[in-house]
Amino acid sequence: MAAPTIDRPDAEARERERDEAPAPSARGFDRDIEAELAAAGSDGSRGPGDGSGPEHPPVPLRPLLAAALATSAAALVTGGIFGTWSARLLALFAVGLGVGWAWLTLRSPARETTYQILLLPVGLFTGVLAMLVTGGDAGELPKLMSDAIASGRLLRPPVPFDPGWKPILVLVFSLVGFGAAWVGTALNRPRAAIAIPLPILALTAITQPDDGQFIAGLCAFVPLLAALAVLFGGDSLKASELTKEFELKRAMRGVAAAAAAVVALVVLSNASFLFPAPVYNPSDQAQKPKPIPLSSIQDRVLFEVKTTSPITGPWKTGVLDTYDGEAWRLPPFDKARLRAVPPGGVVDAARDKDASEVVQFTIRDLGNAASLPGTTSPTRIEKPGDLDARWDPRVDVFRLTEGRVPNDVTYTIAQPPYPDAAQLKEAPKLKGDFEDMLEVPKPPARISRLLQEAPPEPAWDRLDYVRKALREVVVAAGGGVPGDIAPARVVEIFDSKTHEATPYEIVAAEAMLARWAGVPARIGFGFDGLNDENGVATVRPANAAQWLEVYFEGQGWIPLIQAPEKAKQQLDNDPNAKFDPNTLASDEVAAELVIPIKLESFKQLYQRIREQLIAALPAFGALLLVYLATPSVMKGWRRRKRRRWAEQLGPRTQIAVEYAEFRDAAHDLNLGDHLDTPLEYLKRVVVDEEHQEFAWLVARTLYGDLARTVTDEDAQAAEELSASLRRRMSRGQPFQARVLAALSKASLRQPYTDEVPTVVLLDPVGRWTMWRAERRRTRKARSLARRRSRLGLGRIPALAGRRSR
């Protein structure tokens, strides 16, 4: 085969041709020529990168559309948790963003990695923009997102569509849409693409509001059915052989079948056998309260109170009425238990005739609460018509079935005056079924002796006796965070030396003592007391409290609030702590002394080490940058050293140096075989005119007919060709490959040829590794030589050098 002639136009024409030539594809230089020819069209036209094919590679639309439809089903169902179409439409928009971004990435393979990296900031920016449109503040983005997640955990669907949900929805579904589209197209796994959003669909389908379950079923069924129809409707090659009449008939039959399926879903959605009642429902079980430290709650006005009655609390929001032997629990949540408020607002007609205590509440910011603050045993409520609050007769509170209590809403609650001790003594015996409110383990021996000492009747005297016995010895210490309290803990409070207990433990022990005394009891929680703020009675988080509630026939549930007679003095100056002037200090008095002393820094060893490491971080960072930049600096130094050396030896050596630079750059990018000759290397990569010209120029100059006639113009052309190929080869690779090539020391450790100057690799680890490998090869060769000598086979003949040398 005759070598092609090499025409060398002037420098301006060559530069213009290089600028107009497209860069090789992202994986071009590492692809065999057979694969490139297979990717070409049937007419022999080139693919992307040679300038003769289409500008962008084709993207299969069938798996892209199937992934979009499947992800849309998950997006619509997830938006149903919020009970609003704005959430569903925003989630659909996020799916379109993710799928469209996948299509854009597939259309631009040279910038594939760049587009993938940009998806996250673009999704975040779009979500923040959607939040700003609805009145959110970008400066509070982390807080808004965390508050939105907290509300989703605490409230029952439909969850309020707070501004913090918007960036979360856009981020999640843009990433899921992109991932499903990418798996279906780039990885050629369309079935897996449909399966990717199914976990989200399954998780969100079980948390739909009652009035949105049918819509959620349609939103899940119809897009998934369409996705399966698109995916399994036949490929384009087979479909092209079918007539339009057949395609139209098949489409009409598919539409009719889908409509029939939707009608069947509508009919069966009301059937009990299709959606049976669950055997086990977690919400029907008593739940343990989640302890929240008061210091972690933002101080704010929760609600305001107006009343002419002497009532200053407590303001109840819930109760703990189930005791499991170890801890007090919240009552099970049952929507069937909630009753609609009658038109007159009366919920207890028997006691409402004496309801002279009227209290007006104005909600300011209750956060994620679903219960309206109220009195302990209300009988009547006057509320706005748009406030959908229902009466819970077990807890004696008004509760919203959906969402949170809105701000700036005003309502009025009435109840009879609280009875005094004389009235409670005259209370008749219990007539109702209160077994669940008397359920408690058998009293320990210590408590049994206390109950034997108590008067058997009336019930109030018996309860008052055991409560006084506890109050006389207990010492309040710590906060009122709920926790476990077993019967043994009640005995410990009585018999320990310190008698210390938290406020919650004191109230829990009172409730257990009341049940042991035969009085129905539970723990009420909410707020107690009022704050006078410029003439306005307010309630803040610092007013949080727990108290004992007992039931007496004819009087209902009565709160019993009494501060302990003794409390342990606290020296932490907690601003949330409340001071009761009637509470005395315990016998173990703590005195605050102010003594001037010299302050010394007592720091742990790990703290000192951490400070030193933080102080040394800039120096470590600078050393790391120097270490990472060393390969690029050494490669530039090697190039200048080689060129200065080649200038003294003539054009032939300069051409060899330029080709060595090109092959070293390819070795750093891990493209092709490092041992191939210039002409062999042509078959390893995409066909390129400049590469062919450069390879033939090197071969003919070093080994062929141009060895004696090479000129300075040839050397200049070789330098231009080498620079152009290195630049276009680097641009055709993914971003991470280019970064790794800049950091790589492969060409420094193993240059393409040892016949031109190189530099010493300043890498002790690499040199140690190479020395160890060379030592292992030497030992192996010596062992083989000794074995051959013992067998009489003689010495090993010298091995030929590498092919490229």
Side-chain angles (χ1 to χ4, degrees):
M1 178 179 178
T5 59
I6 300 176
D7 297 329
R8 294 185 293 275
D10 56 77
E12 294 182 0
R14 182 180 297 276
E15 186 70 22
R16 185 169 58 254
E17 292 176 0
R18 283 200 304 271
D19 293 340
E20 295 176 355
S25 61
R27 300 170 180 82
F29 268 86
D30 200 21
R31 185 184 299 164
D32 292 341
I33 188 172
E34 291 81 7
E36 180 68 12
L37 292 176
S42 58
D43 57 351
S45 60
R46 296 283 303 161
D50 63 349
S52 60
E55 182 179 358
H56 299 289
V59 179
L61 296 181
R62 186 182 296 273
L64 203 68
L65 182 57
L69 289 171
T71 313
S72 298
L76 289 171
V77 175
T78 303
I81 296 177
F82 306 98
T84 172
W85 278 101
S86 61
R88 296 187 179 99
L89 294 178
L90 182 62
L92 278 181
F93 171 78
V95 172
L97 174 64
V99 175
W101 201 265
W103 175 82
L104 182 63
T105 304
L106 292 169
R107 293 265 295 176
S108 307
R111 300 179 179 88
E112 176 181 302
T113 305
T114 304
Y115 282 129
Q116 291 176 350
I117 295 175
L118 287 177
L119 175 60
L120 187 61
V122 168
L124 181 61
F125 174 78
T126 306
V128 173
L129 188 62
M131 183 186 70
L132 293 177
V133 172
T134 56
D137 187 1
E140 298 182 355
L141 178 62
K143 182 179 182 301
L144 291 175
M145 295 175 66
S146 63
D147 291 346
I149 296 175
S151 67
R153 292 175 178 174
L154 297 176
L155 300 177
R156 299 180 180 274
V159 177
F161 194 42
D162 296 332
W165 282 115
K166 295 175 176 60
I168 295 176
L169 280 182
V170 174
L171 272 178
V172 169
F173 283 102
S174 61
L175 293 176
V176 174
F178 178 87
W182 187 264
V183 169
T185 52
L187 302 184
N188 196 22
R189 296 290 188 272
R191 297 182 183 180
I194 292 181
I196 285 178
L198 291 184
I200 299 179
L201 176 62
L203 289 174
T204 55
I206 62 177
T207 56
Q208 298 293 315
D210 294 339
D211 56 353
Q213 291 179 355
F214 172 69
I215 298 178
L218 287 180
C219 292
F221 177 74
V222 175
L224 278 180
L225 182 65
L228 295 175
V230 169
L231 185 60
F232 298 104
D235 56 53
S236 58
L237 294 178
K238 295 180 181 179
S240 61
E241 301 174 359
L242 304 176
T243 62
K244 294 182 179 180
E245 291 78 7
F246 179 83
E247 287 287 340
L248 182 59
K249 290 181 180 179
R250 187 172 67 172
M252 294 299 295
R253 288 197 298 269
V255 171
V262 171
V263 173
L265 181 65
V266 173
V267 174
L268 295 178
S269 62
N270 297 319
S272 59
F273 71 88
L274 184 61
F275 298 104
V279 178
Y280 173 79
N281 189 352
S283 64
D284 290 342
Q285 307 301 316
Q287 302 293 325
K288 216 172 183 180
K290 296 181 179 179
I292 301 177
L294 191 61
S295 59
S296 64
I297 302 177
Q298 180 184 3
D299 185 28
R300 63 189 186 276
V301 175
L302 302 178
F303 56 92
E304 299 173 359
V305 176
K306 287 184 179 181
T307 181
T308 57
S309 69
I311 295 180
T312 59
W315 319 115
K316 186 169 66 174
T317 59
V319 297
L320 304 173
D321 63 3
T322 303
Y323 185 72
D324 61 0
E326 294 290 337
W328 287 88
R329 295 177 176 268
L330 296 167
F333 179 82
D334 185 9
K335 284 188 176 181
R337 188 178 71 228
L338 304 182
R339 301 176 184 174
V341 178
V346 178
V347 294
D348 189 351
R351 298 173 57 244
D352 186 60
K353 58 183 179 180
D354 299 326
S356 59
E357 308 292 346
V358 180
V359 183
Q360 177 180 303
F361 297 86
T362 301
I363 305 299
R364 292 309 179 195
D365 186 4
L366 274 181
N368 293 320
S371 299
L372 298 177
T375 56
T376 303
S377 53
T379 60
R380 184 176 68 253
I381 185 174
E382 296 179 7
K383 63 181 182 63
D386 56 350
L387 184 62
D388 186 17
R390 306 215 169 183
W391 170 244
D392 189 341
R394 173 168 177 169
V395 185
D396 289 337
V397 297
F398 295 93
R399 184 191 303 273
L400 272 66
T401 57
E402 299 175 351
R404 64 167 68 94
V405 177
N407 295 341
D408 302 326
V409 62
T410 300
Y411 57 93
T412 301
I413 286 180
Q415 75 164 40
Y418 290 123
D420 54 19
Q423 292 175 309
L424 295 177
K425 286 182 180 182
E426 298 175 358
K429 292 185 178 181
L430 297 175
K431 297 180 182 180
D433 184 10
F434 291 93
E435 290 185 3
D436 53 346
M437 296 299 164
L438 291 171
E439 187 175 354
V440 67
K442 292 183 179 180
R446 173 70 172 84
I447 305 301
S448 297
R449 292 194 299 268
L450 177 65
L451 294 174
Q452 292 175 0
E453 299 170 359
E457 291 183 359
W460 168 254
D461 289 342
R462 186 174 177 83
L463 173 63
D464 187 53
Y465 182 86
V466 294
R467 288 185 68 233
K468 284 183 178 180
L470 176 66
R471 294 283 171 168
E472 288 175 355
V473 298
V474 71
V475 176
V481 179
D484 294 351
I485 176 169
R489 175 57 180 154
V490 180
V491 176
E492 183 181 356
I493 295 174
F494 275 101
D495 296 339
S496 65
K497 293 182 180 180
T498 60
H499 305 288
E500 292 182 0
T502 66
Y504 173 79
E505 288 178 330
I506 296 174
V507 174
E510 282 186 326
M512 296 169 66
L513 289 172
R515 289 193 175 187
W516 280 323
V519 179
R522 63 189 183 185
I523 300 175
F525 62 85
F527 308 91
D528 186 28
L530 296 171
N531 308 305
D532 187 359
E533 300 185 22
N534 299 324
V536 179
T538 64
V539 175
R540 292 179 172 270
N543 296 103
Q546 307 101 18
W547 57 87
L548 171 66
E549 285 189 9
V550 292
Y551 184 87
F552 285 88
E553 191 67 33
Q555 302 294 340
W557 288 96
I558 307 300
L560 299 180
I561 299 180
Q562 180 179 356
E565 297 182 3
K566 297 181 181 180
K568 186 175 180 179
Q569 185 174 355
Q570 303 292 327
L571 303 180
D572 53 3
N573 297 324
D574 185 1
N576 292 317
K578 293 183 292 184
F579 174 72
D580 189 346
N582 297 320
T583 301
L584 302 177
S586 66
D587 297 334
E588 298 179 359
V589 179
E592 249 183 292
L593 300 180
V594 181
I595 303 176
I597 60 173
K598 180 180 179 181
L599 296 178
E600 297 183 6
S601 176
F602 296 96
K603 293 183 179 180
Q604 300 292 335
L605 178 60
Y606 78 92
Q607 293 177 317
R608 298 183 180 182
I609 295 176
R610 181 178 60 189
E611 291 178 356
Q612 295 298 327
L613 289 178
I614 293 175
L617 274 180
F620 286 147
L623 291 176
L624 180 62
L625 290 178
V626 171
Y627 176 78
L628 295 178
T630 298
S632 298
V633 175
M634 295 182 69
K635 292 171 189 177
W637 177 28
R638 181 182 63 182
R639 184 180 302 113
R640 291 191 294 270
K641 183 178 179 180
R642 285 175 174 180
R643 286 177 176 174
R644 287 196 301 266
W645 172 78
E647 287 177 359
Q648 301 175 2
L649 300 179
R652 190 164 176 262
T653 307
Q654 290 177 317
I655 294 175
V657 166
E658 295 302 330
Y659 189 76
E661 285 293 321
F662 165 65
R663 291 297 296 274
D664 284 337
H667 186 37
D668 288 330
L669 288 167
N670 195 24
L671 303 179
D673 192 342
H674 192 55
L675 303 179
D676 285 338
T677 64
L679 296 182
E680 288 175 337
Y681 193 66
L682 288 174
K683 298 181 181 181
R684 297 282 184 181
V685 297
V686 174
V687 176
D688 186 82
E689 294 181 359
E690 283 192 351
H691 188 199
Q692 288 181 336
E693 181 180 355
F694 193 24
W696 279 105
L697 173 62
V698 173
R700 293 175 64 184
T701 300
L702 299 182
Y703 317 114
D705 57 331
L706 296 181
R708 298 181 180 276
T709 60
V710 64
T711 63
D712 292 336
E713 187 178 3
D714 295 326
Q716 180 66 25
E719 182 178 351
E720 295 175 359
L721 288 171
S722 177
S724 174
L725 286 173
R726 292 197 307 271
R727 181 177 64 253
R728 295 194 298 120
M729 177 177 61
S730 177
R731 290 178 180 176
Q733 308 310 313
F735 175 76
Q736 65 267 30
R738 282 182 278 172
V739 173
L740 293 176
L743 303 177
S744 175
K745 300 177 182 178
S747 64
L748 297 173
R749 293 173 178 166
Q750 189 182 8
Y752 174 68
T753 176
D754 295 330
E755 298 174 359
V756 299
T758 184
V759 294
V760 179
L761 181 63
L762 300 177
D763 186 1
V765 178
R767 294 181 69 85
W768 170 259
T769 304
M770 294 171 62
W771 178 80
R772 290 290 300 274
E774 184 65 27
R775 187 178 180 184
R776 285 195 297 268
R777 287 193 296 268
T778 303
R779 288 179 178 177
K780 186 176 181 181
R782 289 177 179 175
S783 175
L784 181 60
R786 287 194 298 268
R787 196 178 311 152
R788 291 175 62 89
S789 177
R790 288 196 301 269
L791 296 176
L793 298 178
R795 294 179 176 275
I796 302 177
L799 299 177
R802 292 165 59 179
R803 289 186 292 165
S804 62
R805 306 293 181 262

